[in-house]
């Protein structure tokens, strides 16, 4: 029996958004911290920060709002645009997954 593999991402002057950036933003949403999200993905803070800034530059809008440490510590929250991008990407990915699965079943099922 055959299996299929695929990856879905968005491009704008190169690859800008896919499963990795989605997971990084989801981790920030869940933890309130870019550093915590990066560590969970086995990335350094600087790698994650550079990735976010590169994506923001290509998209033309901010994804996170960061606060530096203080008595309560720092943290990051997602912008409205980031949340919208994540929602659209996840819905798009789901529709693609379902279409690919149906097409695979049609020919190989």
């Amino acid at each position: 029996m055959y299996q299929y593999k695929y990856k879905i991402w968005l491009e704008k002057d190169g690859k800008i958004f896919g499963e990795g950036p989605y997971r990084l933003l989801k981790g920030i949403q869940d933890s309130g911290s870019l550093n915590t999200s990066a560590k969970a993905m086995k990335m350094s803070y600087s790698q994650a920060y550079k990735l976010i800034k590169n994506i923001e530059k290509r998209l033309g809008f901010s994804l996170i709002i960061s606060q530096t440490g203080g008595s309560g510590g720092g943290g990051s929250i997602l912008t409205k645009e980031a949340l919208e991008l994540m929602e659209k990407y996840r819905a798009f990915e789901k529709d693609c997954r379902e279409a690919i699965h149906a097409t695979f079943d049609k020919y190989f099922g």
Side-chain angles (χ1 to χ4, degrees), residues 2 7 12 14 22-24 28-30 37 40 46 49-50 52-53 61 63 65 71 73 79-80 90 98 100-101 104:
Y2 295 109
K7 289 185 179 184
K12 184 177 183 183
Y22 176 89
R23 287 180 36 230
L24 183 62
I28 294 168
Q29 182 181 28
D30 293 344
S37 182
S46 63
Y49 182 82
K50 287 176 187 174
I52 293 291
K53 291 302 172 190
F61 58 83
L63 296 171
I65 300 168
S71 61
T79 64
K80 179 181 70 107
R90 188 49 77 212
E98 290 171 356
I100 289 169
H101 184 73
F104 177 83

Side-chain angles (χ1 to χ4, degrees), residues 51-62:
L51 176 64
I52 293 291
K53 291 302 172 190
N54 188 31
I55 293 170
E56 289 176 338
K57 183 178 178 182
R58 288 183 176 172
L59 289 174
F61 58 83
S62 296

Side-chain angles (χ1 to χ4, degrees), residues 63-82:
L63 296 171
I64 62 173
I65 300 168
S66 298
Q67 295 182 330
T68 55
S71 61
S76 296
I77 60 170
L78 301 182
T79 64
K80 179 181 70 107
E81 293 85 359

Side-chain angles (χ1 to χ4, degrees), residues 1-2 4 98-109:
M1 181 58 96
Y2 295 109
Y4 62 91
E98 290 171 356
I100 289 169
H101 184 73
T103 304
F104 177 83
D105 280 350
K106 177 180 174 180
Y107 292 102
F108 299 103

Side-chain angles (χ1 to χ4, degrees), residues 6-48:
Y6 69 95
K7 289 185 179 184
I8 301 287
W9 65 84
L10 305 175
E11 290 198 3
K12 184 177 183 183
D13 300 323
K15 183 176 178 179
I16 58 164
F17 200 81
E19 192 61 29
Y22 176 89
R23 287 180 36 230
L24 183 62
L25 291 179
K26 181 69 174 134
I28 294 168
Q29 182 181 28
D30 293 344
S31 69
S33 168
L34 175 59
N35 192 38
T36 300
S37 182
K39 284 181 182 177
M41 294 181 65
K42 299 187 181 355
M43 294 176 74
S44 70
Y45 173 84
S46 63
Q47 284 177 303

